[in-house]
Amino acid sequence: ETGVTQSPTHLIKTRGQQVTLRCSSQSGHNTVSWYQQALGQGPQFIFQYYREEENGRGNFPPRFSGLQFPNYSSELNVNALELDDSALYLCASSPPGRASTDTQYFGPGTRLTVL
Amino acid sequence: AQRVTQPEKLLSVFKGAPVELKCNYSYSGSPELFWYVQYSRQRLQLLLRHISRESIKGFTADLNKGETSFHLKKPFAQEEDSAMYYCALAHGSSNTGKLIFGQGTTLQVKP
């Protein structure tokens, strides 16, 4: 069984640029959630995808968008990057079931630095 | 507003000492509470959840709705318990598995 994978591991961008982060969910999982973790903080929920549809969104502006593909992998896109977008971006997948109680399995994260 | 508070950034204890990592939450409704742990150079992983009422690696946590707390406890700390611990809350009746995390507490167990 393959765990959650994310790519790239690290990324450096400049203000105003756009970035795409990728996540492959764990085998058998159909739900993917994305979190932003700033230095010294806990993860903050960005949004969740279930069966290719957005299924809940946190307090993030529309320039944060996502996709989920038929194989349940997912992308997080961020447009017009700002310095405050520098953070660790975590992807988590969970199996079919009751979303509020299911264990979320986290990937290793993508470290984004915006200069 | 829904919020999870972990008042201690760092908790340092000696091996064999009892450990209590504090977690308080603010939520109107029936929350689901979790503890996630991140060991050095590893990914974030679930330690335990309140609905399971289980003990994992000697850790337990009891949901106290009156005090809105979900403190994590272990009677005798081990050096391998050193890690970052996050308390998290999910909407109990929601179909969205949105987790609200606290800021985390670093547990340092000294030999």
Side-chain angles (χ1 to χ4, degrees):
Chain A
E1 188 180 84
T2 308
V4 177
T5 61
Q6 292 186 245
S7 62
T9 308
H10 297 92
L11 204 50
I12 299 175
K13 292 284 189 178
T14 55
R15 267 186 308 174
Q17 285 190 309
Q18 178 266 341
V19 69
T20 297
L21 309 182
R22 293 178 176 83
C23 170
S24 289
S25 59
Q26 188 160 318
S27 176
H29 291 187
N30 61 1
T31 302
V32 172
S33 302
W34 285 93
Y35 294 83
Q36 181 195 65
Q37 187 174 20
L39 204 58
Q41 303 294 318
Q44 266 197 290
F45 179 77
I46 303 174
F47 43 55
Q48 183 180 79
Y49 278 83
Y50 170 66
R51 290 186 175 180
E52 303 176 58
E53 298 283 333
E54 188 179 285
N55 181 42
R57 188 178 181 92
N59 191 24
F60 281 81
R63 60 189 185 85
F64 284 78
S65 63
L67 279 174
Q68 188 179 31
F69 300 100
N71 67 354
Y72 304 130
S73 65
S74 178
E75 284 182 356
L76 164 65
N77 298 291
V78 188
N79 293 323
L81 283 167
E82 300 176 0
L83 297 179
D84 284 349
D85 296 333
S86 295
L88 181 69
Y89 288 84
L90 296 170
C91 166
S93 72
S94 46
R98 188 174 164 209
S100 61
T101 56
D102 285 329
T103 299
Q104 295 193 21
Y105 295 81
F106 283 83
T110 292
R111 172 75 60 191
L112 173 64
T113 302
V114 182
L115 302 176
Chain B
Q2 300 135 19
R3 190 184 305 122
V4 175
T5 304
Q6 294 179 249
E8 303 140 328
K9 271 193 164 307
L10 172 66
L11 183 63
S12 187
V13 302
F14 284 102
K15 178 182 169 182
V19 169
E20 183 178 51
L21 297 165
K22 290 184 167 48
C23 171
N24 288 90
Y25 66 90
S26 171
Y27 179 74
S28 55
S30 298
E32 301 284 354
L33 275 297
F34 304 81
W35 277 98
Y36 278 80
V37 62
Q38 187 166 27
Y39 300 102
S40 178
R41 287 186 287 277
Q42 293 188 29
R43 59 188 67 188
L44 197 58
Q45 58 186 286
L46 178 71
L47 179 62
L48 56 78
R49 63 185 111 181
H50 90 269
I51 59 166
S52 301
R53 296 188 160 273
E54 57 201 344
S55 172
I56 303 292
K57 298 185 179 183
F59 284 98
T60 58
D62 290 318
L63 179 60
N64 185 324
K65 292 188 177 180
E67 295 183 358
T68 60
S69 69
F70 187 57
H71 303 328
L72 184 67
K73 299 177 184 179
K74 184 169 183 177
F76 308 103
Q78 303 297 315
E79 287 181 70
E80 55 265 30
D81 296 329
S82 295
M84 175 71 89
Y85 291 80
Y86 293 97
C87 182
L89 174 155
H91 297 245
S93 57
S94 170
N95 288 323
T96 298
K98 168 185 175 179
L99 287 173
I100 300 168
F101 284 87
Q103 289 195 309
T105 298
T106 300
L107 174 64
Q108 184 184 73
V109 181
K110 297 178 284 190

